[in-house]
Amino acid sequence: MITVLFFAGLREAVGTSSESLALPSEVNTVAALRDHLAGRGDKWSALASAKNLRAAVNQDMVPLTTAIKDGDEIAFFPPVTGG
Amino acid sequence: MKSSVSVQEADFDLSAEVRALTAGELSAGAVASFVGLVRDNNDGAGVADMTLEHYPGMTEKALNEIVAKAADRWELLGVRVIHRVGYLKPGEQIVLVAVSSPHRGNAFAACEFIMDYLKTQAPFWKKESTSEGGRWVDARDSDESALDKWKDQIGL
């Protein structure tokens, strides 16, 4: 299982802040996970259309090309706006 | 070097934080601090209030990593970072970075560096209430270029 988290405008667009799911065998990068989730259609297409989508794996900000594995915590979010 | 990072809803007291930062540290000749405030306008619209969301766990981790990067590059004695979350109104304090060092050059540079890194690397998001309704704040290109300046200067 993996845990997927969504924050800010993306959280509102997909309508949930987190979910757990079994990692499909063909999904092995952050980008592939984004495409897998966006493939659900409807509100999930927000993941595909988000400009400048950012991601973190196990609480480190990473490029979307980063590999993922079972047990990971993967977060999707817009560019950060703190400070 | 001592450092402390807090993510909290409560306000903070700059004087008290600076006193705590330098207590018992008699080799400190300089403290530089930055306090960020909530503005009452942004991108041409009035801002009535805002709500700050963050990624619990990652936020603290990211802030500690930013402080560690600064401590690697400048001679620092102490760093204190406080970032508020939740509901905030214009005029309220939102972020504090305070840095102590033997001399001012390191304190000024590290304070600015930590703020520039925080702006683009720490997982906080602002949602403003304006006269046209609620809106998520867009990231600014100028924040990315502030980071690039450090990459050019110190080869990050």
Side-chain angles (χ1 to χ4, degrees):
Chain A
M1 300 292 282
I2 56 170
T3 303
V4 189
L5 306 176
F6 306 97
F7 290 96
L10 194 61
R11 169 179 57 75
E12 291 181 342
V14 301
T16 186
S17 56
S18 72
E19 82 169 80
S20 294
L21 72 158
L23 185 63
S25 57
E26 73 278 13
V27 174
N28 46 28
T29 65
V30 175
L33 177 64
R34 173 203 56 195
D35 295 343
H36 173 75
L37 295 172
R40 293 168 171 176
D42 190 28
K43 63 190 180 183
W44 294 96
S45 59
L47 273 165
S49 58
K51 58 171 186 172
N52 302 319
L53 182 71
R54 299 286 196 267
V57 173
N58 300 327
Q59 306 190 347
D60 284 323
M61 216 183 293
V62 294
L64 299 184
T65 49
T66 302
I68 57 173
K69 61 182 188 312
D70 194 41
D72 282 347
E73 175 178 295
I74 298 114
F76 290 105
F77 45 82
V80 302
T81 56
Chain B
M1 193 208 64
K2 67 174 177 183
S3 72
S4 169
V5 161
S6 300
V7 178
Q8 62 188 43
E9 291 191 9
D11 198 9
F12 53 83
D13 179 337
L14 171 63
S15 302
E17 296 299 336
V18 169
R19 272 197 304 278
L21 186 66
T22 55
E25 187 53 87
L26 300 181
S27 62
V31 175
S33 65
F34 173 86
V35 175
L37 306 175
V38 179
R39 261 178 295 121
D40 70 355
N41 67 90
N42 189 31
D43 284 339
V47 174
D49 56 59
M50 70 165 56
T51 305
L52 259 127
E53 178 172 332
H54 75 119
Y55 181 171
M58 178 174 165
T59 317
E60 294 81 358
K61 185 179 177 188
L63 292 173
N64 279 311
E65 286 171 2
I66 294 164
V67 170
K69 274 194 203 326
D72 280 348
R73 284 159 183 84
W74 293 283
E75 184 186 0
L76 305 179
L77 294 168
V79 178
R80 178 75 170 121
V81 178
I82 301 176
H83 204 300
R84 294 178 70 193
V85 293
Y87 178 79
L88 294 169
K89 293 180 82 74
E92 287 200 66
Q93 305 186 116
I94 182 166
V95 61
L96 165 72
V97 175
V99 178
S100 66
S101 174
H103 302 286
R104 70 183 184 283
N106 288 337
F108 277 132
C111 186
E112 186 177 14
F113 169 87
I114 290 168
M115 265 315 296
D116 286 346
Y117 251 70
L118 182 157
K119 285 290 237 183
T120 57
Q121 305 296 310
F124 295 97
W125 300 272
K126 291 176 182 147
K127 188 174 191 179
E128 301 170 335
S129 302
T130 73
S131 50
E132 289 113 57
R135 65 177 187 190
W136 290 97
V137 174
D138 280 332
R140 292 171 190 274
D141 292 341
S142 58
D143 289 334
E144 286 292 343
S145 41
L147 198 57
D148 290 342
K149 172 188 70 184
W150 292 108
K151 289 177 179 162
D152 294 342
Q153 278 185 20
I154 58 178
L156 283 172

